[in-house]
DNA sequence: ATGAAAGCGCTAACAT
DNA sequence: ATGTTAGCGCTTTCAT
C-alpha cells in the first residue's frame, strides 16, 4: 500500500502539502492541488486512518453497544443512531452484547482501547462495564436502559407509566387475576415495568422473572398456566417474551383473549398479521436512537455540561389479545 | 490518559518490558511482572489500540457489511459471524448499507482506511464497491449475495433450486397463474431466484420487480391484484416482501390460500403465529454466517489460495398459505 | 504558500 | 532477561 510519502514523491511536493490537499486546506496553490490529486489517483493511494487517528489522538467512530441484535427493537433504534451519526461525520460500530455482562465488558474495554469518540449503550446490567465507562473520559449516552448507578446522559421511555397503562387496560377489560412476566432483575426497564404493573394492581401481584428472550417468555407462561390458580391475564415486559408467551398459549389451545388476556411491552413486527394480534405498549424506537445520538453529539462538543435525561412517551395499542370478554 | 511510559516509570522498568508483560511474553522475571501489573492497576492504564495497530500494521477488526439491518435474515447471519470471530480473536464492526450502493461504497472505503483485517459483505449491488475490494489487498468473503464480477470466497444458498422447488410446489397444489415478485436487478439472489421461478413455470412468467422491502412487496402485490388477469398464486423472492404481500392480501380481504396461494423465500420470524401462516423456503442462516467467517479465517491465513464457493441447501416449509384448494 | 521536523503510543529488532 | 532505539503513517507547528 502506498503511503503519503509515495504520493509526495510522485507529485514532487512534500508530505505536508499532500496532507493539506487531502484535508481541504485553503492555502494550497491550485496547480499543486491538481498534481497531488493526479498522483493520488495514479497510485491508488488511500490514507491510513489508523495513522491519522494516532496523530490526532481521536477517531470518528462511535461504539453502539446493544444487548440483543436479534431484537427488532434494538435494530430500529440503531437506525436512528446511524442517521444522526452519518450526518455528523461519525461511523457507527455496532456491538452485540447478547445480554451477557462479560461480553458487554469486553466491548466497553475495546471501545476505550480503540479510542472511540463516543459510546451509546443499552446496558445488559454490568456494573463493572458501567463503572469503567464512567471513570473514563469517553463521552457516554445510555439509551433505553439506564446505566447502573451512572450519572450520564440518558434517553428512555416512560417504562413505569407504560406498564401502569397496560395493567389498567387489562383491569378495565374485566380481567382480575393479572400476572406479570418480568425481565431480569437489575435491568432498569425490567424493574420499572414491574413497578408500574405492581402500582396499578389492586390485589396481590403474581410475578415470574424471565430473561427478555422468547424461550424465557414461553417457559414463564407455561409455569403460570400450570400453577394452582392460573391467571386470567398477563402483562409481558418485552416483545420477545410476548411472542414466546403467545406461542405457549396458542400451542396449548388456550383461548386468547377469551380465557387469558395479554398485553406486551414493545412493538412486535407484523403484530397486525399475528392471530390473535397482541396488544402492545409501543415506544418511539427510532426516535430513541436519534435522541441518544443527538445527546452524544452535544456531549462531545461540551464535555463538562450537566447530564440530561430525556423521557419519551410509551403508548398503548390495544389489539385482539385484550378485547373484553 | 496514561501511556506505556507512565507505567514504565511507575514500575521502574523500560517501556519494552511493560509491553512484554502486557503481551504475555514468557521471558520476563516474575518479580517484574508483578511490579508492572501493580503500576498498571494503580494508574488505570489502558493500552492504546490505535498505536498498537499502527505499529503492527494490522488490526483485529472485521467489517461485516450487510444490506439491511432491519431484516432478521441478516441479523441471524451476523450472529454466526460473531461467534466465529470472537472465538478467533476478532471483533466485528457491523455496517448497514441499507440497500444503498453509495453507503456501501462509503463503508468499503472506511474498512480499507481503517486497515480492517477482513471484510464480509452481502453486496447491495455496487460494482464500484466490489472493484475497490477486489483491487485491494484486504481479505474478502461474499455471503448470501455474490460480489458483482468478483472472484472471491463465497457462501450462498441454492437460490435457483429453492425458487424452483417453491414454484413446483405451487404448481402441484393446483395453482396455474403463478406470478413472481422479484428483487432488484443486479442483486444475485434476486436474479437467481427469478431464474428458478421461470425455469419451473410451464407457461408465461408474470414478473414484478420490487426492492426487497416490505412496502415494495405490498405495492407489487397491489399491482398484481389490479391487473386485468390477476394471478392465482405468487412466489415472493424474500421475507420482507412476503410480509408486505401478505398484508396487502389480508387488507383487501383476499382469501389465502383459497383465492391466491403464496410462497416466500427466506424465513419469517414467528411465521407460525401469522395467519394465514406463510409457506417459506428457508435457509441455514446462522450457518451461512458461520461458514463465511470460517472462509475469512482461512483466507487471512493463506491469502494466495484459490477462492472457494460454498453452496448450502434451501428447504421448502409448506404452511397454510399454499395448501391446495 | 510550502517544507522540515517532531511526535502521537506502541512494538520489535537489536544490543547487552 | 532487560534496555535502547527506530519507525509504523500521518498531521501540525514552526520556519522560511
Amino acid at each position: 500500500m502506498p503511503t503519503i510519502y509515495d504520493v509526495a514523491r510522485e507529485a514532487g511536493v512534500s508530505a505536508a502539502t499532500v496532507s493539506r490537499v487531502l484535508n481541504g486546506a485553503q492555502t494550497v496553490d491550485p496547480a499543486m492541488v491538481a498534481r497531488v490529486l493526479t498522483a493520488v489517483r495514479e497510485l491508488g493511494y488511500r490514507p491510513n486512518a489508523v495513522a491519522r487517528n494516532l496523530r490526532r489522538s481521536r477517531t470518528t467512530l462511535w461504539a453502539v453497544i446493544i444487548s440483543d441484535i436479534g431484537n427488532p427493537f434494538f435494530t430500529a433504534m440503531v437506525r436512528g443512531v446511524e442517521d444522526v451519526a452519518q450526518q455528523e461525520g461519525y461511523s457507527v460500530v455496532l456491538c452485540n452484547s447478547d445480554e451477557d455482562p462479560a461480553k458487554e465488558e469486553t466491548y466497553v474495554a475495546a471501545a476505550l482501547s480503540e479510542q472511540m469518540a463516543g459510546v451509546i449503550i443499552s446496558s445488559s446490567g454490568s456494573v463493572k462495564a458501567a463503572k469503567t465507562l464512567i471513570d473514563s473520559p469517553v463521552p457516554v449516552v445510555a439509551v433505553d436502559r439506564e446505566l447502573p448507578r451512572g450519572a450520564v446522559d440518558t434517553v428512555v421511555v416512560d417504562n413505569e407509566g407504560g406498564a401502569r397503562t397496560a395493567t389498567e387496560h387489562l383491569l378495565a377489560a374485566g380481567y382480575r387475576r393479572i400476572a406479570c412476566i418480568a425481565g431480569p432483575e437489575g435491568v432498569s426497564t425490567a424493574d420499572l415495568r414491574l413497578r408500574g404493573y405492581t402500582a396499578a394492581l389492586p390485589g396481590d401481584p403474581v410475578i415470574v422473572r424471565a430473561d427478555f428472550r422468547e424461550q424465557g417468555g414461553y417457559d414463564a407462561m407455561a409455569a403460570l398456566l400450570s400453577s394452582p390458580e392460573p391467571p386470567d391475564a398477563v402483562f409481558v415486559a418485552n416483545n420477545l417474551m410476548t411472542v414466546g408467551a403467545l406461542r405457549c398459549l396458542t400451542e396449548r389451545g388456550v383461548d386468547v383473549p377469551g380465557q387469558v388476556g395479554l398485553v406486551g411491552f414493545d412493538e412486535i413486527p407484523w403484530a397486525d398479521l399475528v392471530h390473535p394480534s397482541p396488544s402492545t405498549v409501543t415506544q418511539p424506537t427510532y426516535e430513541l436512537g436519534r435522541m441518544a445520538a443527538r445527546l452524544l453529539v452535544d456531549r462531545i462538543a461540551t464535555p463538562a455540561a450537566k447530564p440530561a435525561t430525556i423521557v419519551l412517551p410509551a403508548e398503548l395499542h390495544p389489539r385482539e389479545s385484550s378485547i373484553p370478554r
Side-chain angles (χ1 to χ4, degrees), chain A residues 151-153 295 298-308:
Chain A
V152 301
D153 292 309
L295 284 187
D298 293 351
R299 173 65 45 192
I300 289 170
T302 45
K306 222 178 130 227

Side-chain angles (χ1 to χ4, degrees), chain A residues 23-294:
Chain A
N23 289 287
Q26 305 301 313
T27 58
V28 187
D29 187 314
M32 297 241 139
V33 172
R35 266 159 59 196
V36 167
L37 292 181
T38 305
V40 164
R41 207 171 319 111
E42 277 177 6
L43 295 175
Y45 170 71
R46 196 173 285 285
N48 182 323
V50 176
R52 187 194 322 128
N53 291 343
L54 177 60
R55 170 61 228 227
R56 287 190 176 155
S57 308
R58 62 195 152 84
T59 69
T60 55
L61 295 176
W62 285 354
V64 175
I65 304 174
I66 59 176
S67 39
D68 186 358
I69 201 191
N71 188 333
F73 168 78
F74 288 112
T75 56
M77 199 178 73
V78 167
R79 283 172 173 275
V81 174
E82 270 177 350
D83 288 352
V84 174
Q86 178 150 29
Q87 188 179 315
E88 299 283 336
Y90 293 95
S91 297
V92 166
V93 170
L94 195 53
C95 312
N96 175 29
S97 75
D98 236 356
E99 302 285 6
D100 177 348
K103 275 197 192 176
E104 181 167 303
E105 284 152 25
T106 306
Y107 279 124
V108 165
L112 296 178
S113 279
E114 299 283 351
Q115 317 290 111
M116 300 267 177
V119 173
I120 294 180
I121 183 169
S122 181
S123 166
S124 71
S126 166
V127 173
K128 185 173 163 200
K131 192 170 155 28
T132 305
L133 278 174
I134 291 163
D135 291 348
S136 84
V138 73
V140 179
V141 175
V143 66
D144 177 50
R145 304 175 178 183
E146 289 164 26
L147 205 56
R149 313 194 246 145
V152 301
D153 292 309
T154 302
V155 187
V156 290
V157 296
D158 180 6
N159 287 291
E160 192 173 342
R164 208 182 314 116
T165 305
T167 311
E168 285 163 357
H169 165 71
L170 286 168
L171 285 166
Y175 297 104
R176 282 299 164 264
R177 290 191 42 79
I178 304 171
C180 176
I181 298 180
E185 198 170 346
V187 174
S188 71
T189 47
D191 294 340
L192 289 169
R193 290 170 195 173
L194 181 56
R195 189 187 297 175
Y197 155 81
T198 312
L201 212 65
D204 286 342
V206 178
I207 299 160
V208 185
R209 285 272 188 188
D211 60 358
F212 272 162
R213 293 174 202 252
E214 183 175 338
Q215 189 60 44
Y218 184 101
D219 296 343
M221 192 70 239
L224 283 170
L225 288 178
S226 58
S227 66
E229 292 183 273
D232 66 354
V234 59
F235 164 63
V236 191
N238 89 332
N239 51 2
L240 298 186
M241 295 197 304
T242 301
V243 171
L246 207 51
R247 167 163 291 140
C248 177
L249 290 164
T250 305
E251 277 182 16
R252 305 195 177 200
V254 176
D255 177 31
V256 177
Q259 280 177 269
V260 174
L262 179 147
V263 177
F265 212 109
D266 293 342
E267 187 53 291
I268 292 171
W270 317 307
D272 52 332
L273 294 178
V274 170
H275 185 78
S277 59
S279 301
T280 56
V281 177
T282 65
Q283 316 181 37
T285 319
Y286 176 87
E287 196 58 24
L288 220 49
R290 253 182 47 82
M291 295 297 284
R294 286 256 149 267

Side-chain angles (χ1 to χ4, degrees), chain A residues 11-24:
Chain A
V13 299
S14 74
T17 298
V18 177
S19 174
R20 286 184 190 111
V21 169
L22 264 32
N23 289 287

